[in-house]
Amino acid sequence: MPARPSVTEAELEAHLRGICFKTGPPRRIGVEIEWLVHDARNPRCPVDPVRHREAATALRALPLRSALTFEPGGQLELSSLPATSLTACIEAVSADLSLVRPAMREMGLGMAGHGHNPWHPPQRVLTEPRYNAMEAYFDRWGSAGRSMMCGTASVQVCLDAGQEEPGPLGVGRRWRLAHLLGAVLVAAFANSPVSEGCPTGYRSTRQVVWSQMDPARTLAPPDGPDPRAAWAGYVLDAPVMCLRNDDGPWDAPEGLTFRDWVRTGTPRPPTEEDLDYHVSTLFPPVRPRGHLELRMIDAQPGDGGWIVPLAVTAALFDDPEAAESVYRVVKPLAETAGSRPAPRNPLWRHATRNALTDPELAAAALACFTIAQEALPRLGAPAEVRHAVARFAERYVAQGRCPADDLLDGAYAEESAPAPAPPGGPADAAYENELTLGKDSP
């Protein structure tokens, strides 16, 4: 457990400002990719926890450069090291996958790129204290937390925060761009329209799940001219999810914010390490951790489906000409978004439900992909990456479609498939009402 002494509120705020937005010219890129693990012969059959443990043991013996972890529901995640170029990042992760996939096949397991498990309800296979505490915490908001923990998967793109100076590569511009472009990325790469075999009425059910959880840790921080100040306030005012404990459960007093914890010093004074751990339990669409984590993209189908969102996002952020052009494209989307934070504002709601059938998002996506395709040669992207982006743009973006539409086509082709409708649980109804009525919390 933490060994460093407790610190003051001012020291913690300075710590947050210093570590969460490390500035400089954008040079590095990374990606975190998740897959749903399933039985290779029958994806609808849940994988026994024993098989998950055996797979984890086998994969951790491989000479991987990426960090390999498993999520609470057994989702497999590869997290790349920071790379100095898009090409280097893709090559490193592809090399690791060339080891991981055959090993999984030998164990009779498959890796599926879906943003939300389309086959069966969430089933937790990891029982660490962190996940016990997380599940108990999110249960206060209904079943969405368990679904997030055990049934969702994503492609997270990690980019440098940007430079101090204003302009297309400045940290303030990149922070704002991430929250507007984020809705376009949700729409273009939506890939989770089905849950437990039935269409949900959303093209990104994964994004709906995130929207139904604790708003104090899943909404974006307030918009403003100083991202550091907004993030520091957001972190300190978020409720504490768990208190790490060597001798018992990691429970935290209900409603205790980190700021309250610092000021009261109970049940024990917090430390800087406690703050860093607290940040790891916050899940806004864009999370600053020195670099920017863009967390809104659904996992993608196909062995190399993750490459397209990585390449498009990198091109739009790290090529100066593209960054300036794309900001002009997405800036008008702020009017649709309004004053409410992502992902609970109208812009993100349209992306979640309608994806590129929404005319405004379709036009923005088409422009963004055009800009990205023009920028990729300037970033030195290899021909196969450029061709993959072009094929995706032609198959989906130019047609006003996303990967979710392929899954829906298949679902509706089956005579027994029910008509699409929004999920009917209480949490889903609350989400719809909250968005309609303009409330800020469920």
Side-chain angles (χ1 to χ4, degrees):
M1 286 302 102
R4 297 178 63 180
S6 61
V7 288
T8 67
E9 186 175 337
E11 289 171 331
L12 291 176
E13 185 168 350
H15 176 68
L16 286 170
R17 287 172 171 265
I19 68 167
C20 291
F21 291 91
K22 294 181 180 178
T23 54
R27 292 193 177 96
R28 299 180 302 173
I29 184 172
V31 66
E32 300 175 16
I33 318 166
E34 296 169 331
W35 292 270
L36 302 177
V37 174
H38 62 87
D39 185 274
R41 291 170 297 180
N42 182 7
R44 288 176 170 80
C45 178
V47 177
D48 184 271
V50 173
R51 296 181 70 190
H52 277 291
R53 289 194 292 271
E54 292 173 347
T57 299
L59 295 181
R60 286 173 180 146
L62 297 174
L64 304 178
R65 285 178 283 182
S66 303
L68 182 143
T69 55
F70 285 84
E71 295 299 310
Q75 306 97 309
L76 187 158
E77 178 177 315
L78 285 181
S79 301
S80 74
L81 294 173
T84 56
S85 71
L86 171 64
T87 300
C89 183
I90 293 172
E91 289 178 347
V93 176
S94 297
D96 286 340
L97 283 170
S98 70
L99 301 176
V100 169
R101 290 190 184 278
M104 291 287 281
R105 284 195 295 269
E106 288 180 7
M107 293 179 282
L109 297 173
M111 298 159 55
H114 295 284
H116 187 275
N117 194 314
W119 303 300
H120 45 76
Q123 177 185 5
R124 187 153 65 97
V125 300
L126 300 184
T127 57
E128 283 84 347
R130 171 185 171 96
Y131 298 128
N132 294 338
M134 183 180 291
E135 181 178 278
Y137 180 91
F138 281 129
D139 278 351
R140 301 170 191 169
W141 283 266
S143 62
R146 296 189 181 209
S147 185
M148 176 277 290
M149 292 171 62
C150 304
T152 61
S154 67
V155 176
Q156 297 181 21
V157 180
C158 301
L159 304 160
D160 279 337
Q163 55 197 25
E164 284 293 341
E165 296 78 9
L169 300 183
V171 62
R173 172 73 69 83
R174 286 163 74 86
W175 178 250
R176 182 161 176 75
L177 173 62
H179 288 90
L180 292 174
L181 178 62
V184 180
L185 298 176
V186 170
F189 297 108
N191 186 40
S192 51
V194 176
S195 177
E196 299 183 45
C198 297
T200 64
Y202 298 94
R203 284 172 169 82
S204 180
T205 302
R206 172 183 169 273
Q207 192 62 57
V208 175
V209 167
W210 282 102
S211 301
Q212 292 170 344
M213 293 163 24
D214 174 17
R217 65 187 345 101
T218 58
L219 297 186
D223 192 17
D226 185 354
R228 289 186 178 88
W231 178 246
Y234 178 94
V235 171
L236 293 176
D237 290 331
V240 177
M241 175 179 286
C242 55
L243 298 180
R244 292 174 290 171
N245 186 345
D246 285 327
D247 304 317
W250 290 15
D251 298 334
E254 187 169 351
L256 176 73
T257 68
F258 204 95
R259 195 185 301 276
D260 293 337
W261 188 12
V262 175
R263 291 177 176 179
T264 63
T266 57
R268 63 168 174 78
T271 66
E272 198 171 272
E273 286 82 356
D274 287 317
L275 181 66
D276 292 339
Y277 194 85
H278 173 63
V279 169
S280 78
T281 72
L282 305 178
F283 308 108
V286 183
R287 184 166 64 178
R289 304 192 72 179
H291 56 277
L292 301 181
E293 293 178 350
L294 276 66
R295 305 173 52 84
M296 70 288 296
I297 301 170
D298 281 358
Q300 296 296 291
D303 288 355
W306 57 275
I307 293 174
V308 174
L310 172 64
V312 169
T313 306
L316 295 178
F317 274 84
D318 287 353
D319 179 79
E321 182 179 339
E324 183 63 40
S325 297
V326 76
Y327 186 70
R328 290 197 296 268
V329 168
V330 300
K331 188 176 181 181
L333 299 178
E335 184 175 346
T336 300
S339 61
R340 302 177 60 233
R344 291 191 176 184
N345 63 45
L347 177 66
W348 282 64
R349 180 190 182 187
H350 296 167
T352 298
R353 180 186 288 279
N354 303 320
L356 298 189
T357 64
D358 179 273
E360 184 178 38
L361 286 166
L366 190 59
C368 290
F369 269 74
T370 299
I371 294 167
Q373 288 177 265
E374 293 170 351
L376 284 171
R378 297 194 293 267
L379 291 182
E384 57 268 28
V385 172
R386 302 197 306 270
H387 294 159
V389 172
R391 287 194 299 270
F392 187 98
E394 181 180 357
R395 177 176 178 178
Y396 294 115
V397 181
Q399 308 300 322
R401 290 172 60 86
C402 62
D405 290 308
D406 290 346
L407 296 173
L408 291 173
D409 289 347
Y412 299 150
E414 299 177 9
E415 292 183 358
S416 59
D428 301 298
Y431 171 68
E432 288 298 311
N433 291 337
E434 180 271 330
L435 288 170
T436 301
L437 299 175
K439 298 177 183 176
D440 287 331
S441 62

